Amino acid sequence: MRETLCQMIERFVREEPGSHFPEDGGPYFTEPLIGFAAADDPLFTQYQTVIGPFHLTPTQFAQRETPPWQPATVICWALPISEPTRRSNRAETTYPSRAWAQTRQHGEAFNAALRRQVVQFLVDAGYRALAPQLHPAWREYPESPVGIASAWSERHAAYAAGLGTFSLNDALITPRGIAHRLGSVVTDLAIAPTARPWSDHRSNCLWYREGTCGACIGRCPVGALSKQGHDKGICRGYVYGAVPEAVGERYAVTSTGCGLCQTRVPCEDRIPAGKVASPA
């Protein structure tokens, strides 16, 4: 079932019309990375301390279903952004490229469709499933102790599933880099968890691994990044305010993203080697 599920996800990303630019048929994403975490992994409980008590565990989501059920696995994926789109964004210094902005809006709409597709695939196979990001219990908490947060973090789920580690800019560095979209589904189908080969939850980031790099700091046009980390308030104000106002109409989107700190950096499409190799 694990292999069949992975093949379905890969095929959907490759063949579904919504995963391609309408103008030229080019893909928003390349082949996905897929990982699995146990629904009762202690990390999900720890997140309620690290992120906040509002962050729900897989079991808490499933218990809000009618009727309630007991989850076994969290299925996670990373959709690496295509090289042409990343290349177009490397050249930008203030606002994202048109391709990046369209990937943020239309590519994420496809990602939502993928979540629904995975849920339906599992339900049709006789299992229970839900997508936390699309669940009625999901909501944002703009005034949390860690800044803007939500009831489910796709990044933290992906970390639990062995897909990567965190970076100076708060993103996730996977073996295919930091430029991606993430998704997850909770199910009662039992699948063996993916190993987490990292020595530390930040070990793929050169800044945290050896005190070098920090390239993402210079890529941020509004100073939301520093050696101390990521200022979510400044970042969000720019990404959801100034950027759409400046280029949204021209790009024909309402959600633009930014992604400058995810391109033209050593971790754009890989785990950077640096002086001290990552355990991955």
Side-chain angles (χ1 to χ4, degrees):
M1 188 62 180
R2 179 188 187 281
E3 183 177 351
T4 302
L5 175 65
C6 289
Q7 290 174 347
M8 183 278 293
I9 293 173
E10 291 165 357
R11 185 171 57 252
F12 194 77
V13 172
R14 184 174 60 249
E15 299 178 0
E16 178 66 17
S19 68
H20 294 75
F21 287 96
E23 296 91 345
D24 59 10
Y28 292 124
F29 308 109
T30 59
E31 184 176 0
L33 296 175
I34 304 170
F36 305 90
D40 61 357
D41 190 309
L43 274 177
F44 291 110
T45 301
Q46 292 175 28
Y47 292 160
Q48 295 188 315
T49 299
V50 174
I51 301 172
F54 52 82
H55 190 277
L56 302 180
T57 67
T59 298
Q60 288 174 321
F61 272 104
Q63 291 297 306
R64 283 164 168 74
E65 295 277 274
T66 305
W69 48 274
Q70 187 62 42
T73 305
V74 182
I75 304 162
C76 299
W77 58 84
L79 304 177
I81 294 175
S82 68
E83 199 282 332
T85 297
R86 289 187 283 106
R87 184 172 65 245
S88 72
N89 214 48
R90 283 180 218 140
E92 302 295 334
T93 57
T94 304
Y95 302 120
S97 68
R98 182 175 186 272
W100 187 277
Q102 292 200 330
T103 297
R104 171 61 182 85
Q105 177 153 326
H106 305 308
E108 183 53 34
F110 164 76
N111 195 17
L114 176 57
R115 293 180 180 98
R116 289 189 287 268
Q117 176 72 12
V118 173
V119 168
Q120 192 60 54
F121 174 86
L122 291 164
V123 170
D124 290 346
Y127 300 97
R128 295 182 182 275
L130 63 88
Q133 194 79 13
L134 306 179
H135 197 274
W138 185 94
R139 57 166 291 193
E140 286 190 328
Y141 294 85
E143 303 299 332
S144 84
V146 295
I148 299 159
S150 66
W152 181 259
S153 167
E154 299 284 28
R155 291 178 299 116
H156 286 76
Y159 171 74
L163 290 183
T165 77
F166 297 96
S167 60
L168 183 63
N169 63 6
D170 274 345
L172 196 81
I173 302 176
T174 76
R176 301 270 290 284
I178 198 172
H180 50 64
R181 304 298 303 172
L182 299 171
S184 62
V185 163
V186 175
T187 179
D188 62 355
L189 167 65
I191 300 176
T194 307
R196 292 193 289 267
W198 334 110
S199 60
D200 178 80
H201 69 286
R202 291 169 166 173
S203 61
N204 291 348
C205 176
L206 287 179
W207 177 258
Y208 291 119
R209 192 163 83 232
E210 57 191 52
T212 63
C213 192
C216 58
I217 297 173
R219 285 287 282 159
C220 181
V222 290
L225 296 173
S226 70
K227 294 177 181 180
Q228 285 68 51
H230 176 214
D231 188 311
K232 289 185 177 182
I234 294 174
C235 177
R236 187 177 180 86
Y238 187 65
V239 172
Y240 289 92
V243 181
E245 183 178 338
V247 300
E249 184 175 354
R250 175 155 49 99
Y251 291 166
V253 295
T254 54
S255 298
T256 60
C258 175
L260 297 184
C261 67
Q262 296 176 12
T263 51
R264 215 172 79 196
V265 291
C267 57
E268 177 185 315
D269 63 347
R270 68 196 68 192
I271 299 171
K275 298 175 183 177
V276 182
S278 166

Coordinates of all heavy atoms in Angstrom, one line a residue, residues 8-54:
M8 N 0.8 6.9 -6.7 CA -0.3 7.7 -7.0 C 0.0 9.2 -6.8 O -0.3 10.0 -7.7 CB -1.5 7.3 -6.1 CG -2.8 8.1 -6.3 SD -2.8 9.8 -5.6 CE -2.9 9.3 -3.8
I9 N 0.7 9.5 -5.7 CA 1.1 10.9 -5.5 C 2.0 11.4 -6.6 O 1.8 12.5 -7.2 CB 1.8 11.1 -4.1 CG1 0.8 10.8 -3.0 CG2 2.4 12.5 -4.0 CD1 1.4 10.8 -1.6
E10 N 3.0 10.6 -7.0 CA 4.0 11.0 -8.0 C 3.2 11.2 -9.4 O 3.5 12.1 -10.1 CB 5.0 9.9 -8.1 CG 6.0 9.9 -6.9 CD 6.8 8.6 -6.9 OE1 6.6 7.7 -7.7 OE2 7.6 8.5 -5.9
R11 N 2.3 10.3 -9.7 CA 1.6 10.4 -10.9 C 0.7 11.6 -11.0 O 0.6 12.3 -12.0 CB 0.8 9.1 -11.1 CG 0.1 9.1 -12.5 CD -0.6 7.7 -12.7 NE -1.5 7.3 -11.7 CZ -1.3 6.4 -10.8 NH1 -0.1 5.7 -10.8 NH2 -2.2 6.1 -9.9
F12 N 0.0 11.9 -9.8 CA -0.8 13.1 -9.8 C -0.1 14.3 -10.0 O -0.5 15.3 -10.7 CB -1.6 13.1 -8.4 CG -2.7 14.0 -8.3 CD1 -3.9 13.7 -8.9 CD2 -2.6 15.2 -7.7 CE1 -5.0 14.5 -8.8 CE2 -3.7 16.1 -7.6 CZ -4.9 15.7 -8.2
V13 N 1.1 14.4 -9.3 CA 2.0 15.6 -9.5 C 2.4 15.8 -10.9 O 2.5 16.9 -11.5 CB 3.2 15.6 -8.5 CG1 4.1 16.7 -8.8 CG2 2.7 15.6 -7.1
R14 N 2.8 14.6 -11.5 CA 3.3 14.6 -12.9 C 2.2 14.9 -14.0 O 2.5 15.6 -14.9 CB 4.0 13.3 -13.2 CG 4.7 13.2 -14.5 CD 5.4 11.9 -14.6 NE 4.6 10.7 -14.5 CZ 4.6 9.8 -13.4 NH1 5.4 10.1 -12.4 NH2 3.8 8.8 -13.4
E15 N 1.0 14.4 -13.8 CA 0.1 14.4 -14.9 C -1.1 15.3 -14.7 O -1.8 15.6 -15.7 CB -0.4 12.9 -15.1 CG 0.7 12.0 -15.5 CD 0.2 10.5 -15.6 OE1 -1.1 10.3 -15.4 OE2 1.0 9.6 -15.9
E16 N -1.5 15.7 -13.5 CA -2.7 16.5 -13.3 C -2.5 17.8 -13.9 O -1.5 18.5 -13.7 CB -2.9 16.7 -11.8 CG -4.1 17.5 -11.4 CD -5.4 16.9 -11.8 OE1 -5.5 15.7 -12.1 OE2 -6.4 17.7 -11.9
P17 N -3.5 18.3 -14.8 CA -3.4 19.5 -15.5 C -3.1 20.7 -14.5 O -2.4 21.7 -14.9 CB -4.7 19.7 -16.2 CG -5.1 18.2 -16.4 CD -4.7 17.5 -15.2
G18 N -3.7 20.7 -13.4 CA -3.6 21.8 -12.4 C -2.2 22.0 -11.9 O -1.9 22.9 -11.2
S19 N -1.3 21.0 -12.1 CA 0.1 21.1 -11.6 C 1.0 21.7 -12.7 O 2.2 21.7 -12.5 CB 0.6 19.7 -11.3 OG 0.8 18.9 -12.4
H20 N 0.4 22.3 -13.7 CA 1.3 22.9 -14.8 C 0.8 24.4 -15.1 O -0.4 24.7 -15.0 CB 1.1 22.1 -16.1 CG 1.7 20.7 -15.9 ND1 1.1 19.7 -15.2 CD2 2.9 20.2 -16.4 CE1 1.8 18.6 -15.3 NE2 2.9 18.9 -16.0
F21 N 1.8 25.2 -15.5 CA 1.5 26.5 -16.0 C 0.5 26.4 -17.2 O 0.8 25.7 -18.1 CB 2.7 27.3 -16.4 CG 3.6 27.7 -15.3 CD1 4.7 26.9 -14.9 CD2 3.3 28.9 -14.6 CE1 5.5 27.3 -13.8 CE2 4.2 29.3 -13.5 CZ 5.2 28.5 -13.1
P22 N -0.6 27.2 -17.2 CA -1.5 27.1 -18.3 C -0.9 27.6 -19.6 O -1.3 27.2 -20.7 CB -2.7 27.9 -17.9 CG -2.2 28.8 -16.8 CD -1.0 28.1 -16.2
E23 N 0.0 28.5 -19.6 CA 0.6 29.2 -20.8 C 1.4 28.2 -21.6 O 1.2 28.1 -22.8 CB 1.4 30.4 -20.5 CG 0.6 31.5 -19.8 CD 0.6 31.5 -18.3 OE1 1.0 30.4 -17.8 OE2 0.3 32.5 -17.6
D24 N 2.4 27.5 -21.0 CA 3.3 26.7 -21.7 C 3.3 25.3 -21.3 O 4.1 24.5 -21.9 CB 4.7 27.3 -21.7 CG 5.2 27.4 -20.2 OD1 4.6 26.8 -19.3 OD2 6.3 28.0 -20.0
G25 N 2.5 24.9 -20.3 CA 2.5 23.5 -19.9 C 3.6 23.1 -19.0 O 3.7 21.9 -18.6
G26 N 4.5 24.0 -18.7 CA 5.6 23.7 -17.8 C 5.1 23.3 -16.4 O 4.1 23.9 -15.9
P27 N 5.8 22.4 -15.7 CA 5.4 22.0 -14.3 C 5.7 23.1 -13.3 O 6.7 23.7 -13.3 CB 6.1 20.8 -14.1 CG 7.4 21.0 -14.8 CD 7.0 21.7 -16.1
Y28 N 4.8 23.2 -12.3 CA 5.1 24.0 -11.1 C 6.2 23.3 -10.3 O 7.0 24.0 -9.7 CB 3.8 24.2 -10.3 CG 2.7 25.0 -10.9 CD1 1.4 24.5 -11.0 CD2 3.0 26.3 -11.3 CE1 0.4 25.3 -11.6 CE2 2.0 27.1 -11.9 CZ 0.7 26.6 -12.0 OH -0.3 27.3 -12.5
F29 N 6.1 22.0 -10.3 CA 6.9 21.2 -9.3 C 7.6 20.1 -10.1 O 7.2 19.6 -11.1 CB 6.1 20.7 -8.2 CG 5.2 21.7 -7.5 CD1 3.9 21.7 -7.6 CD2 5.8 22.6 -6.7 CE1 3.1 22.6 -7.0 CE2 5.0 23.6 -6.0 CZ 3.7 23.6 -6.2
T30 N 8.7 19.6 -9.5 CA 9.4 18.4 -9.9 C 8.9 17.2 -9.0 O 8.0 17.4 -8.2 CB 10.9 18.6 -9.9 OG1 11.3 18.8 -8.5 CG2 11.4 19.7 -10.8
E31 N 9.5 16.1 -9.2 CA 9.1 14.9 -8.5 C 9.1 15.1 -7.0 O 10.0 15.6 -6.4 CB 10.0 13.7 -8.9 CG 9.6 12.4 -8.3 CD 10.5 11.3 -8.7 OE1 11.4 11.5 -9.5 OE2 10.2 10.1 -8.2
P32 N 8.0 14.7 -6.3 CA 7.8 15.0 -4.9 C 8.7 14.1 -4.0 O 9.1 13.0 -4.4 CB 6.4 14.7 -4.6 CG 6.0 13.7 -5.7 CD 6.8 14.1 -6.9
L33 N 9.1 14.6 -2.9 CA 9.7 13.8 -1.8 C 8.5 13.4 -0.9 O 7.7 14.3 -0.5 CB 10.7 14.7 -1.0 CG 11.9 15.2 -1.8 CD1 12.7 16.1 -0.9 CD2 12.8 14.0 -2.2
I34 N 8.5 12.2 -0.4 CA 7.4 11.7 0.4 C 8.0 11.0 1.6 O 9.0 10.2 1.5 CB 6.6 10.7 -0.4 CG1 6.0 11.3 -1.7 CG2 5.4 10.2 0.4 CD1 5.4 10.3 -2.7
G35 N 7.4 11.3 2.8 CA 7.9 10.7 4.0 C 6.7 10.4 4.9 O 5.6 10.8 4.7
F36 N 7.0 9.6 6.0 CA 5.9 9.2 6.9 C 6.3 9.3 8.3 O 7.5 9.0 8.7 CB 5.5 7.7 6.6 CG 5.2 7.4 5.1 CD1 6.2 7.1 4.2 CD2 3.9 7.6 4.7 CE1 5.9 6.8 2.9 CE2 3.6 7.3 3.4 CZ 4.5 7.0 2.5
A37 N 5.4 9.7 9.2 CA 5.7 9.8 10.6 C 4.6 9.0 11.3 O 3.4 8.9 10.8 CB 5.6 11.3 11.1
A38 N 4.9 8.4 12.5 CA 3.9 7.8 13.3 C 3.0 8.9 13.9 O 3.5 9.9 14.4 CB 4.6 7.0 14.4
A39 N 1.7 8.7 13.9 CA 0.8 9.7 14.4 C 1.0 9.9 15.9 O 0.7 11.0 16.4 CB -0.6 9.2 14.2
D40 N 1.5 8.9 16.6 CA 1.8 9.1 18.0 C 3.3 9.4 18.3 O 3.7 9.3 19.5 CB 1.4 7.8 18.8 CG 2.1 6.6 18.4 OD1 3.0 6.6 17.4 OD2 1.9 5.5 19.0
D41 N 4.0 9.9 17.3 CA 5.4 10.3 17.5 C 5.4 11.4 18.6 O 4.6 12.3 18.5 CB 5.9 10.8 16.2 CG 7.5 11.1 16.3 OD1 7.9 11.8 17.3 OD2 8.2 10.6 15.4
P42 N 6.2 11.3 19.6 CA 6.3 12.3 20.7 C 6.5 13.7 20.2 O 6.2 14.6 20.9 CB 7.4 11.8 21.6 CG 7.5 10.3 21.3 CD 7.1 10.1 19.9
L43 N 7.1 13.8 19.0 CA 7.3 15.2 18.5 C 6.0 16.0 18.4 O 6.0 17.2 18.7 CB 8.0 15.1 17.1 CG 9.5 15.0 17.0 CD1 9.9 14.8 15.6 CD2 10.2 16.2 17.7
F44 N 4.9 15.3 18.0 CA 3.7 16.1 17.8 C 3.2 16.6 19.2 O 2.6 17.7 19.2 CB 2.6 15.2 17.2 CG 2.9 14.9 15.7 CD1 3.3 13.6 15.4 CD2 2.9 15.8 14.8 CE1 3.6 13.3 14.0 CE2 3.2 15.6 13.4 CZ 3.6 14.3 13.1
T45 N 3.5 15.9 20.3 CA 3.1 16.5 21.6 C 4.1 17.6 22.0 O 3.7 18.6 22.5 CB 3.1 15.3 22.6 OG1 2.2 14.3 22.3 CG2 2.8 15.9 24.0
Q46 N 5.4 17.4 21.6 CA 6.4 18.4 21.9 C 6.1 19.7 21.2 O 6.3 20.8 21.7 CB 7.8 17.9 21.5 CG 8.3 16.8 22.4 CD 9.6 16.2 21.8 OE1 10.4 17.0 21.2 NE2 9.9 15.0 22.1
Y47 N 5.5 19.6 20.0 CA 5.1 20.8 19.3 C 4.2 21.7 20.0 O 4.1 22.9 19.8 CB 4.6 20.5 17.9 CG 5.6 19.8 16.9 CD1 5.1 19.1 15.9 CD2 6.9 20.0 17.1 CE1 6.0 18.5 15.0 CE2 7.8 19.4 16.2 CZ 7.4 18.7 15.2 OH 8.3 18.1 14.3
Q48 N 3.4 21.1 20.9 CA 2.4 21.9 21.7 C 3.2 22.8 22.7 O 2.6 23.7 23.2 CB 1.4 21.0 22.4 CG 0.5 20.3 21.3 CD -0.6 19.5 22.0 OE1 -0.4 18.8 23.0 NE2 -1.8 19.7 21.4
T49 N 4.4 22.5 23.0 CA 5.3 23.3 23.8 C 6.1 24.3 23.0 O 6.2 25.5 23.2 CB 6.2 22.5 24.7 OG1 5.4 21.6 25.6 CG2 7.1 23.3 25.6
V50 N 6.7 23.7 21.9 CA 7.6 24.5 21.0 C 6.8 25.6 20.3 O 7.2 26.7 20.2 CB 8.3 23.5 20.0 CG1 9.1 24.3 19.0 CG2 9.2 22.5 20.7
I51 N 5.6 25.2 19.7 CA 4.8 26.1 19.0 C 3.7 26.8 19.8 O 3.6 28.0 19.8 CB 4.2 25.4 17.8 CG1 5.3 24.8 16.9 CG2 3.3 26.4 17.0 CD1 4.7 23.9 15.8
G52 N 3.0 26.0 20.5 CA 1.9 26.5 21.4 C 0.9 25.4 21.6 O 0.7 24.5 20.8
P53 N 0.1 25.5 22.7 CA -0.9 24.5 23.0 C -2.0 24.4 22.0 O -2.7 23.4 22.0 CB -1.4 25.0 24.4 CG -1.1 26.4 24.5 CD 0.2 26.6 23.7
F54 N -2.1 25.4 21.2 CA -3.1 25.4 20.1 C -2.8 24.5 19.0 O -3.6 24.2 18.1 CB -3.3 26.9 19.6 CG -2.0 27.5 19.2 CD1 -1.5 27.3 17.9 CD2 -1.4 28.4 20.0 CE1 -0.3 27.9 17.5 CE2 -0.2 29.0 19.7 CZ 0.4 28.7 18.4

